[in-house]
Amino acid sequence: MSSVSNSPAVEPKPIFDWFLGVAVLAVVGVYVRAIYFTPIEAAQGAAQKIYYLHLAGVMGAYLSVTITALMSIIALWLHDQRADHLAEASAEGGLVFLTVVLTTGPIWGHKIWGAWWAWWEARLTLTLFLWFVIVAYLVLRGAIEDVAMRARYSAVLAMLGALLIPFIHLSVYLFAARLHPMPVVLKPSKPSLPNEMLTTLLLSLTAFTLLCIALIRARYRLAVQRDMLAALEVDGGVT
Amino acid sequence: MIDSSGTFIAGYVIATAIYVVYMLTLWRRAKRVGEKLRKVERQP
């Protein structure tokens, strides 16, 4: 079961550490590069630079939701509470990144498409559906006190969320009616971006992946501290 | 080229705000749990 220590003598690790500091610095560096040192796209103007945050948000969300599903399976299989905590931490990170995606996208779309949202657009609607699945996952976890039952029920939602990812990514190929641009990087052929923009995008993906991992680490540590507190309260008869 | 600098600024400000607010909520929750941990550990 869990290898989380219940010993009162163990000092909990601070949830924010050097790793988060490095990730935040990397993100700041990407902001500086994107804003000041990356050319403005000819047709869309400065709004195109939202792309560097939007796509990084997508990658962070995909990574987080995938970790949530994998850790949910491991938690069910090995009954390891650390995996369950990691699943929960990743889901929260995934919700943050998905929220960034679902806000930056419509802001860009309002200017470029002339519409905040299009319900018939499969990629948009499926991404919103994934957001609701992750919200449901977190609400469900908050509502169930029994640890084993919580892990089992929430794992179903986690796997449903992860199964949506390929559909979201391939939706622009699967549906003829679309508004969302086709992939310019994650596609079988060569990326169709000028070198300077591609470099900024790759740096952005790296920085936000670091931020994603750092946030998941921090949230995982919080979950471990909550476990320690619960164990101490039970040991000490505190209610 | 269209002038879309307002859209660009709005996108960056809102995305940054979402990340910062989340980090603040993490910090606040950790602070609360840390205080409770210390309180419980002090009890005989």
Side-chain angles (χ1 to χ4, degrees):
Chain A
M1 196 61 181
S2 170
S3 70
V4 174
S5 171
N6 295 336
S7 165
V10 175
E11 184 68 23
K13 289 179 182 173
I15 68 155
F16 290 161
D17 60 359
W18 64 270
F19 191 83
L20 183 72
V22 170
V24 169
L25 281 178
V27 168
V28 170
V30 163
Y31 271 46
V32 171
R33 181 177 166 95
I35 294 168
Y36 298 108
F37 301 102
T38 305
I40 294 174
E41 206 260 348
Q44 297 179 21
Q48 183 272 340
K49 292 189 179 191
I50 288 177
Y51 177 71
Y52 306 119
L53 297 190
H54 183 73
L55 195 64
V58 171
M59 288 297 109
Y62 283 0
L63 177 67
S64 304
V65 174
T66 304
I67 293 174
T68 303
L70 289 176
M71 287 303 123
S72 296
I73 293 168
I74 291 173
L76 284 183
W77 184 20
L78 301 177
H79 303 287
D80 189 331
Q81 209 173 340
R82 291 171 301 176
D84 190 46
H85 286 327
L86 196 48
E88 184 186 16
S90 306
E92 217 175 87
L95 187 67
V96 172
F97 280 90
L98 279 170
T99 306
V100 168
V101 172
L102 288 169
T103 47
T104 53
I107 289 169
W108 175 85
H110 179 64
K111 187 73 183 179
I112 306 301
W113 296 340
W116 295 102
W117 193 266
W119 287 106
W120 51 266
E121 205 342 299
R123 183 172 270 194
L124 274 62
T125 311
L126 285 173
T127 307
L128 182 64
F129 186 51
L130 177 59
W131 189 87
F132 278 117
V133 168
I134 301 301
V135 169
Y137 172 94
L138 292 168
V139 170
L140 183 72
R141 290 191 65 93
I144 302 175
E145 282 190 20
D146 183 84
V147 175
M149 197 185 284
R150 185 173 61 201
R152 196 173 337 129
Y153 290 169
S154 59
V156 177
L157 281 176
M159 283 180 257
L160 175 66
L163 283 175
L164 276 172
I165 291 174
F167 286 103
I168 292 171
H169 189 69
L170 297 174
S171 58
V172 286
Y173 298 106
L174 296 172
F175 297 92
R178 63 168 183 273
L179 194 56
H180 197 281
M182 297 296 283
V184 292
V185 178
L186 290 176
K187 58 176 185 166
S189 56
K190 262 182 72 178
S192 41
L193 264 184
N195 276 342
E196 281 172 305
M197 291 182 179
L198 183 62
T199 306
T200 304
L201 179 65
L202 294 176
L203 287 171
S204 176
L205 293 179
T206 308
F208 279 95
T209 300
L210 283 178
L211 183 68
C212 178
I213 295 168
L215 291 178
I216 292 172
R217 262 167 59 103
R219 181 59 183 77
Y220 174 80
R221 287 180 175 181
L222 177 62
V224 171
Q225 288 184 14
R226 280 183 173 166
D227 245 21
M228 289 170 70
L229 178 64
L232 283 169
E233 284 178 342
V234 169
D235 286 350
V238 180
T239 54
Chain B
M1 185 191 297
I2 58 170
D3 177 18
S4 58
S5 50
T7 303
F8 154 68
I9 293 167
Y12 272 65
V13 167
I14 290 173
T16 309
I18 291 168
Y19 291 122
V20 170
V21 167
Y22 179 62
M23 281 192 262
L24 284 174
T25 66
L26 271 182
W27 172 76
R28 197 164 157 231
R29 282 183 284 174
K31 192 178 161 205
R32 201 175 297 164
V33 171
E35 281 167 3
K36 280 186 184 172
L37 264 175
R38 280 187 289 277
K39 192 175 157 192
V40 172
E41 280 175 350
R42 273 200 301 270
Q43 286 177 353

